[in-house]
């Protein structure tokens, strides 16, 4: 039987440590793998990560979208649950908050009396007739005629495909960013341009590589995407909940 000397035991013990000491490459090799236990997309290139996220989003049946969008028309705060057949949720602008419900092509809007009384004109005092009509419409669903100028704009807030296509597309050269955690979900960032001037997309490292958050470039707002594939009911309001506005809807 061969008995190892204390010095040989020491050399045997420290040999693995020597491999990980003194060199950056060695340290990196021995560090914990940041992608261990993930879906592996963090190992991909930036364009590949973006492609995976878009593919996952395109295949999804439902999603919740919440956050703020800034455009030339103003600032919109959204809290919408979306699926291919329709959507439900709320939109807040500078002057008002209203609810939207779409079931197929049928689009409904619900708002308080203040929304209807002002007829979308800031600073204008409503007439007595408008005030009386607004009181009747208060917290009631109004079906938006498809021929009304507001229909297309309002429907855009309820179109899952349209919103996702417009929100998760990056502009410029794709650059992979840092890992992060949003709402308890581990993510990897993909930026449009080195400084994210073309937007920054956070993609889930847990489960399916769904988009988790998108920050639009130039301060265009930040939206969070959650509850992917979580179904929800869509039912048209009853006749008792619905009233006819009787004329063209106010500008929104």
């Amino acid at each position: 039987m061969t008995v190892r000397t204390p010095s040989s035991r020491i050399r045997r013990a420290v040999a693995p440590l020597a491999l990980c000491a003194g060199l950056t490459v060695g340290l990196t090799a021995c560090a914990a793998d940041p992608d261990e236990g993930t879906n592996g997309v963090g190992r991909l290139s930036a364009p590949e990560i973006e492609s995976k996220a878009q593919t996952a989003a395109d295949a999804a049946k439902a999603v919740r979208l919440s956050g703020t969008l800034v455009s030339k028309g103003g600032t919109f705060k959204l809290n919408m649950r979306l699926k291919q057949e329709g959507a439900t949720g709320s939109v807040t602008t500078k002057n008002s908050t209203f609810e939207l419900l779409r079931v197929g092509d049928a689009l409904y809007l619900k708002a308080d009396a203040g929304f209807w009384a002002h007829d979308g004109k800031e600073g204008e005092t409503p007439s007595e007739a408008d005030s009386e009509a607004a009181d009747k419409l208060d917290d009631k669903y109004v079906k938006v005629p498809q021929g009304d100028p507001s229909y297309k704009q309002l429907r855009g807030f309820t179109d899952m495909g349209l919103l996702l296509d417009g929100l998760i597309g990056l502009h410029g050269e794709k650059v992979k960013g840092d890992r992060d955690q949003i709402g308890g979900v581990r993510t990897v960032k993909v930026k449009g341009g080195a400084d994210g001037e073309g937007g920054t997309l956070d993609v889930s490292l847990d489960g399916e590589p769904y988009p988790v958050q998108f920050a639009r470039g130039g301060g265009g707002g930040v939206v969070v995407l959650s509850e992917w594939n979580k179904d929800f009911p869509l039912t048209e309001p009853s006749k008792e909940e619905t009233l006819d506005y009787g004329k063209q809807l106010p500008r929104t």
Side-chain angles (χ1 to χ4, degrees), residues 45 88-89 94 141:
S45 68
T88 181
K94 178 182 178 181
Y141 284 102

Side-chain angles (χ1 to χ4, degrees), residues 142-190:
V142 174
K143 189 172 184 178
V144 184
Q146 293 190 34
D148 189 283
S150 298
Y151 180 86
K152 184 176 181 180
Q153 180 186 13
L154 294 172
R155 184 186 170 113
F157 290 117
T158 70
D159 192 316
M160 178 176 170
L162 182 66
L163 281 174
L164 291 180
D165 287 344
L167 288 177
I168 62 175
L170 296 167
H171 302 286
E173 182 182 359
K174 311 305 186 295
V175 180
K176 185 158 69 173
D178 297 330
R179 267 90 171 158
D180 202 349
Q181 190 170 101
I182 297 173
V185 179
R186 293 177 294 176
T187 67
V188 59
K189 295 182 183 295
V190 180

